[in-house]
Amino acid sequence: MQRANLSTVSEFVFVGLSDAPEMRLLLFVLFLLIYLATMAGNVTLLVAIRTDSRLHSPMYFFLSNLSLLDLLCPTITVPKMLGALLLEHKEISFSGCLFQHFSLIAVVGTEIFLLTAMAYDRYVAVCHPLRYPSVVSPKLCARLAAGTWAAGLLNSLLHTSLVFTLSFCGPNKLQQYYCDVPPVLALSCSSTRSRELVILAVAGVLGSSACVVTVVSYIYILLEVLSRDSPGVWHKAFSTCGSHLAVVCLFYGTTICTYVRPSFTYSPQRDRVVSMLYGMLTPLLNPIIYSLRNKEVKCALRRVIGRV
C-alpha cells in the first residue's frame, strides 16, 4: 500500500507470523496455551494476595501491581496475534496501532519504575527491619504505586507522540506481530534520527536512573549481609530478595535487547524472538518465580487452589 503522508495512512499489516497453514495452527495453539497459563498464574496470585491477610504487606502490594502489569502486557498484543493466526486478519488500523503502541510502552515503563520501588522496599526490609513498618507505610506504598503508573503513562505519551507524528509513505507491512517502536520507525519515510536520539536519551535517563537505584539498593543489601556474617541472615536475605532479583534480570535483559539500540541494528527475525520472550514468557515466568521462591506465596496459593 503506497501512501503519500501521515493523514492518508489507514492501516498496517503484520507480516511477522508464519504463512504456512500448518505452522499457523501450531503457533495458535502454543501461544493460546501460554496466554491462558499467564492469565491463570497472575490472576491466581492476585486472588491469593487479596484474600490472604498474611500477604497484606508492602512487598505483596507491589507484587500485586506487578501481576496486574503482567496481565495487561500480553492482553495488549496476544489476542490480535491469535486472530491473525487463526482468521488471517493481519491488518490493524492506524489508530489501533497507535493505541496498542501507547498501551504497551506504558506497561513497560510502569514495570521499570515498579521494579525500582520493589528494590527500595527490599533494601529497607533487609537493612532497616525495625524501621520497616514506619518507613514503608501504606501511604508511601500508595504514592509509589501511583507515581510508577503516572511516570509510565507520561513516558508512553512522549514516545507515542514522537513515533506517530512521523510521515509514513509506504510500505505499510510491520515485520512484527504487534505495533512496537523499532518496526514502526522502520516504516517511516521521513528522517527519524533526531527522534530516535530523543527516544534513546529519554529511555537512557529513565532506565539508567531506575537501574542505578536498583543496583545501589542491592549493594547496600549485600554489604549489610556481609557485615552480619551469619548463615541465617544469608538465607533470609536470599529468600527475601532472590525472586525480585531474578525478575529484574529477566526484565532488563529482554527490554534492553528490544529497545535500547538504534534502528539500523533492527533485525526482524531476531527481534521477533526477543519480543516473544518479553511479551509472553516474562509475564508467564514472573508468578512462577515468586511462587517457587516464596513459602508464604506457596501456602497462600495452595489455599486458593484448595478452595477452588
Side-chain angles (χ1 to χ4, degrees), residues 35 38-39 69-80 100 279:
Y35 179 64
T38 302
M39 295 295 104
L69 291 170
D70 287 337
L71 285 172
L72 292 174
C73 184
T75 302
I76 293 168
T77 59
V78 174
K80 180 65 180 177
Q100 190 183 71

Side-chain angles (χ1 to χ4, degrees), residues 37-47 66-67 70-71 283-284 286-287:
T38 302
M39 295 295 104
N42 285 286
V43 167
T44 304
L45 190 56
L46 280 170
V47 172
L66 180 63
S67 291
D70 287 337
L71 285 172
L284 172 65
N286 284 352

Side-chain angles (χ1 to χ4, degrees), residues 7-306:
S7 62
T8 60
V9 171
S10 60
E11 65 181 20
F12 294 103
V13 180
F14 298 125
V15 294
L17 302 173
S18 175
D19 291 326
E22 63 278 7
M23 285 300 297
R24 286 207 306 268
L25 182 59
L26 177 63
L27 290 174
F28 173 82
V29 174
L30 175 63
F31 295 152
L32 178 62
L33 291 176
I34 293 176
Y35 179 64
L36 293 177
T38 302
M39 295 295 104
N42 285 286
V43 167
T44 304
L45 190 56
L46 280 170
V47 172
I49 294 172
R50 176 67 178 175
T51 58
D52 196 320
S53 59
R54 282 164 287 195
L55 300 184
H56 292 175
S57 66
M59 173 182 174
Y60 299 109
F61 170 76
F62 291 125
L63 180 56
S64 64
N65 278 267
L66 180 63
S67 291
L68 181 58
L69 291 170
D70 287 337
L71 285 172
L72 292 174
C73 184
T75 302
I76 293 168
T77 59
V78 174
K80 180 65 180 177
M81 180 187 66
L82 294 177
L85 286 170
L86 186 64
L87 306 173
E88 299 188 44
H89 291 167
K90 300 180 180 180
E91 299 81 12
I92 185 171
S93 65
F94 184 87
S95 58
C97 187
L98 186 152
F99 178 75
Q100 190 183 71
H101 178 277
F102 173 81
S103 303
L104 183 65
I105 299 301
V107 169
V108 172
T110 302
E111 190 160 342
I112 289 174
F113 301 125
L114 180 64
L115 290 173
T116 306
M118 294 173 75
Y120 173 73
D121 171 71
R122 294 300 83 207
Y123 155 73
V124 179
V126 174
C127 298
H128 305 284
L130 297 179
R131 297 174 53 198
Y132 180 73
S134 60
V135 174
V136 190
S137 62
K139 183 179 291 186
L140 178 63
C141 291
R143 289 176 177 174
L144 286 175
T148 60
W149 285 88
L153 290 172
L154 291 174
N155 175 63
S156 180
L157 183 62
L158 174 62
H159 280 69
T160 305
S161 63
L162 288 172
V163 173
F164 282 86
T165 52
L166 289 167
S167 297
F168 295 91
C169 307
N172 66 336
K173 294 182 178 180
L174 284 169
Q175 297 290 334
Q176 187 55 279
Y177 66 91
Y178 62 90
C179 294
D180 201 6
V181 175
V184 173
L185 281 176
L187 293 181
S188 176
C189 57
S190 56
S191 175
T192 62
R193 182 174 178 79
S194 60
R195 303 199 184 199
E196 282 185 59
L197 290 175
V198 174
I199 290 173
L200 287 173
V202 172
V205 170
L206 295 178
S208 60
S209 299
C211 186
V212 166
V213 172
T214 303
V215 170
V216 169
S217 297
Y218 275 100
I219 289 175
Y220 275 108
I221 290 172
L222 180 61
L223 292 175
E224 179 69 18
V225 171
L226 291 174
S227 66
R228 297 185 186 181
D229 194 21
S230 170
V233 174
W234 275 96
H235 176 74
K236 183 177 180 181
F238 184 73
S239 62
T240 302
C241 306
S243 300
H244 177 258
L245 193 57
V247 169
V248 167
C249 293
L250 181 64
F251 177 83
Y252 274 99
T254 54
T255 304
I256 290 172
C257 290
T258 303
Y259 296 111
V260 186
R261 55 184 175 75
S263 63
F264 66 81
T265 64
Y266 175 65
S267 170
Q269 292 76 19
R270 182 191 62 196
D271 282 35
R272 283 197 290 270
V273 175
V274 175
S275 62
M276 199 74 70
L277 289 172
Y278 169 75
M280 297 189 68
L281 293 185
T282 302
L284 172 65
L285 292 175
N286 284 352
I288 296 175
I289 291 172
Y290 273 99
S291 300
L292 292 177
R293 297 299 313 164
N294 194 301
K295 292 182 179 179
E296 292 178 331
V297 173
K298 284 193 287 187
C299 293
L301 289 175
R302 289 195 196 101
R303 287 190 287 271
V304 170
I305 295 172

